[in-house]
Amino acid sequence: MRHLRWLAAQSIGALGVAGLLASSVLAQAPDINPPVANCNMTPEAVEVTPPGSTKPREFKATPIITDLLKSGQPCQQIVSAAGRAGDDTVTNRQRGFDFYSWLTFIAMNSPADGKTTIGKGPRPGGDAMTMWEDLQNYRPLADVMLNDADKRKWGTRHVPDQCKSLDGPGKIVFHLGEEAFNQPFKTGPLIDQDGNYALFDILMNKPMFDFIETNTLYSRAGQAKFDKEIDFPTGVNPGKDAAGNPTPGRMGAIMLKVAYRILDPVANADLIKQFHTSDALIFFPGPPLTKTGPICVEKKLGLIGFHVGHKTRFAPQWVWTSFEHVSNVPDEADVKAGKLPLKRYSFFKENCKDCAEANATPEKPWHPPASLKFPASFRSQVVRAKMIPTHTQKDVDQLNQSFRKILKGTVWENYILLTTQWPSEFDSKTDPTGAPAPTYLANTTLETYSQGKSPLASSSCMACHGNAVSFQRREVDPAKFDGKPFNQSDFTFILEKAVP
């Protein structure tokens, strides 16, 4: 029965706190997935049932206070079938995953200096370069799938020649390929109300990079020669091994996809203080990747989407966390009711008679010019479709309200969690995607054109990424891999970007 696998897993011990390490973790070399000294192990709720009580178990929500802003990043979720929702085990676990997602968001967006609390920084709203923008912590995909070992080296900042004259302290380098302006499966670009293209980037943490680098998976030839199952490092909390000896926490593989809108320092001066911003050098590499270039342009980018995949214990299909800026788009229900919470949205215009239909794809051609302005009058008119259960939405709304309260006065109070997708049957033999819960999840900036609840069509993180493949050669004997598909990439499309 659905969800029984989670119950069985918890019988080993408190999920994420004790128990045996996953076999995939034991297989990783320490230098690929090193110990982490400060895994954040704060649970969503704690049990307050008196010892020996015969009454139903009672749980109290963990206070959401400013102490959580400096508590570190979770190495793994801590969830339980028991909780404040009583016998509703799915809701209890969903609350635990969503709490984990907010802790992850805070940690990853804390200042890169590693000493300052999120919301403390040199720019308006306590803004600062984040942990994920620091090349010592995360690396853009464009700097990984390369044949040049010097450019691939961890922590090395590669600035194209065309960008060097524009370079300066704190600037990020953004490589513009088709995946940087065209949404998944080439469904089209997203155009804001100023006529600018939305831009997308993919990054990975060091354990994920090291696995790719060590196994030469950055090239198609390297993948073809790799004769093992592609199994990225797994995040685990401290625990004990079979002999009862302490085992350290490990972060595991994390991949991040971010979405930006372009902010003009003059025309959008009133908006800049509401976004986390980055001064970016946008590199157009030229044909065949872009029709324009090679050239480099300078733009100020505002963060609008934040989508994290984290491979953790009891989640081999990864845990999927999705955040958006509150002013991206309105909810479909609010549009129909004529009661919009905000007066201005990045990808929606109220009472617009000449605008495109809701969630319509722009007309072609799609390749952006150097101005990054869409070459037609089209503006995206996007609304957020209802995709998650009403009771889950209510819980997420309450959680967002509490976390945004402790982030008050910073740019980060303007971001909201959509929800978290997790595998409800992580070791299912019949559903390799792990029976995603909730079934559907779409970020309106990253999966604009695949919102909804249509099977095999609407966005579902695990269902979609379960189709990802690599350039491995298929073995004749599938039993060698315990019946698992050989030509796969462990729920990431990253390996498909390997160089020839």
Side-chain angles (χ1 to χ4, degrees):
M1 182 179 292
R2 184 168 172 146
H3 311 305
L4 286 182
R5 297 294 183 185
W6 272 98
L7 295 174
Q10 290 177 80
S11 68
I12 298 173
L15 181 56
V17 179
L20 301 180
L21 286 175
S23 60
S24 60
V25 177
L26 295 176
Q28 303 303 329
D31 60 337
I32 289 181
N33 194 20
V36 174
N38 58 338
C39 296
N40 188 340
M41 297 170 59
T42 308
E44 183 272 335
V46 294
E47 187 170 6
V48 293
T49 309
S53 175
T54 58
K55 296 181 179 180
R57 299 172 69 183
E58 295 182 46
F59 292 81
K60 181 180 180 181
T62 296
I64 298 177
I65 55 179
T66 55
D67 286 352
L68 293 177
L69 300 182
K70 51 185 177 182
S71 55
Q73 184 168 346
C75 294
Q76 173 201 332
Q77 71 281 353
I78 297 180
V79 301
S80 174
R84 295 183 295 125
D87 294 334
D88 189 343
T89 60
V90 177
T91 294
N92 287 327
R93 287 195 289 270
Q94 185 70 58
R95 288 176 175 178
F97 275 105
D98 287 340
F99 192 81
Y100 147 91
S101 287
W102 257 110
L103 296 180
T104 296
F105 180 82
I106 288 171
M108 291 182 68
N109 286 295
S110 292
D113 62 14
K115 302 176 182 178
T116 313
T117 304
I118 185 173
K120 304 294 183 181
R123 298 179 294 213
D127 205 5
M129 177 177 278
T130 64
M131 296 293 286
W132 61 268
E133 289 173 304
D134 188 340
L135 291 179
Q136 300 301 319
N137 302 316
Y138 284 81
R139 192 159 187 81
L141 175 59
D143 288 344
V144 177
M145 299 309 191
L146 300 168
N147 277 322
D148 191 326
D150 289 335
K151 293 179 181 178
R152 248 190 358 260
K153 186 177 179 181
W154 184 262
T156 299
R157 186 169 178 269
H158 168 54
V159 182
D161 290 340
Q162 291 81 0
C163 295
K164 289 180 178 177
S165 63
L166 299 172
D167 197 17
K171 293 185 178 181
I172 65 172
V173 181
F174 188 100
H175 291 257
L176 193 75
E178 185 171 11
E179 67 277 359
F181 66 85
N182 200 345
Q183 293 208 10
F185 307 108
K186 299 183 179 182
T187 50
L190 177 64
I191 312 301
D192 69 20
Q193 291 298 308
D194 292 334
N196 295 311
Y197 281 78
L199 300 176
F200 318 113
D201 203 6
I202 298 172
L203 305 96
M204 66 187 73
N205 70 345
K206 196 168 189 301
M208 190 167 188
F209 171 88
D210 283 345
F211 185 86
I212 291 174
E213 177 72 10
T214 301
N215 295 302
T216 326
L217 300 181
Y218 52 80
S219 76
R220 297 181 186 181
Q223 291 182 23
K225 294 178 181 178
F226 191 66
D227 61 355
K228 304 179 184 66
E229 178 185 2
I230 293 178
D231 187 10
F232 283 99
T234 300
V236 293
N237 283 328
K240 293 183 179 180
D241 61 19
N245 300 313
T247 56
R250 301 176 190 273
M251 188 57 67
I254 297 176
M255 54 185 166
L256 168 66
K257 188 170 186 179
V258 291
Y260 300 101
R261 64 164 294 186
I262 295 171
L263 295 169
D264 185 284
V266 177
N268 302 129
D270 58 329
L271 292 178
I272 289 177
K273 61 184 178 181
Q274 299 175 20
F275 293 82
H276 168 65
T277 61
S278 304
D279 292 323
L281 305 178
I282 314 295
F283 176 58
F284 291 71
L289 296 179
T290 58
K291 291 185 177 181
T292 301
I295 61 169
C296 189
V297 298
E298 190 173 10
K299 296 290 182 181
K300 184 176 285 291
L301 304 180
L303 183 68
I304 55 173
F306 193 83
H307 193 67
V308 183
H310 187 184
K311 187 174 181 182
T312 66
R313 186 182 180 214
F314 300 129
Q317 296 86 357
W318 306 54
V319 180
W320 303 88
T321 293
S322 208
F323 279 79
E324 288 191 35
H325 194 278
V326 69
S327 68
N328 284 346
V329 303
D331 289 342
E332 187 177 40
D334 291 334
V335 173
K336 290 181 178 179
K339 297 180 180 179
L340 302 187
L342 302 177
K343 295 182 179 180
R344 185 176 182 180
Y345 292 90
S346 295
F347 303 98
F348 181 86
K349 184 176 181 180
E350 188 177 12
N351 300 322
C352 182
K353 297 180 180 179
D354 299 325
C355 290
E357 294 182 3
N359 303 340
T361 304
E363 62 269 24
K364 291 183 177 180
W366 289 342
H367 279 268
S371 65
L372 288 167
K373 289 278 187 181
F374 193 69
S377 60
F378 180 92
R379 302 291 185 268
S380 293
Q381 188 75 346
V382 182
V383 297
R384 181 179 293 110
K386 181 181 178 182
M387 299 182 67
I388 63 176
T390 302
H391 68 280
T392 300
Q393 186 64 65
K394 182 178 179 181
D395 283 345
V396 173
D397 289 344
Q398 292 176 346
L399 192 65
N400 283 337
Q401 183 179 12
S402 296
F403 272 100
R404 293 175 69 195
K405 184 177 180 180
I406 63 174
L407 290 165
K408 187 72 175 177
T410 78
V411 296
W412 303 108
E413 71 168 310
N414 299 311
Y415 294 86
I416 55 172
L417 171 69
L418 300 179
T419 193
T420 314
Q421 191 178 70
W422 49 280
S424 63
E425 295 180 1
F426 63 90
D427 60 350
S428 173
K429 302 301 182 183
T430 58
D431 184 357
T433 66
T439 305
Y440 303 104
L441 173 60
N443 188 301
T444 63
T445 68
L446 297 168
E447 296 104 8
T448 309
Y449 311 115
S450 56
Q451 300 184 71
K453 296 182 179 181
S454 301
L456 304 178
S458 297
S459 177
S460 171
C461 306
M462 283 180 278
C464 175
H465 281 258
N467 294 317
V469 296
S470 67
F471 291 93
Q472 283 184 297
R473 294 196 179 99
R474 187 178 299 276
E475 284 288 317
V476 176
D477 183 11
K480 179 178 177 181
F481 298 95
D482 193 26
K484 297 178 181 178
F486 182 69
N487 187 22
Q488 49 84 58
S489 66
D490 197 9
F491 287 85
T492 174
F493 289 98
I494 282 177
L495 298 183
E496 294 183 15
K497 305 299 180 183
V499 293

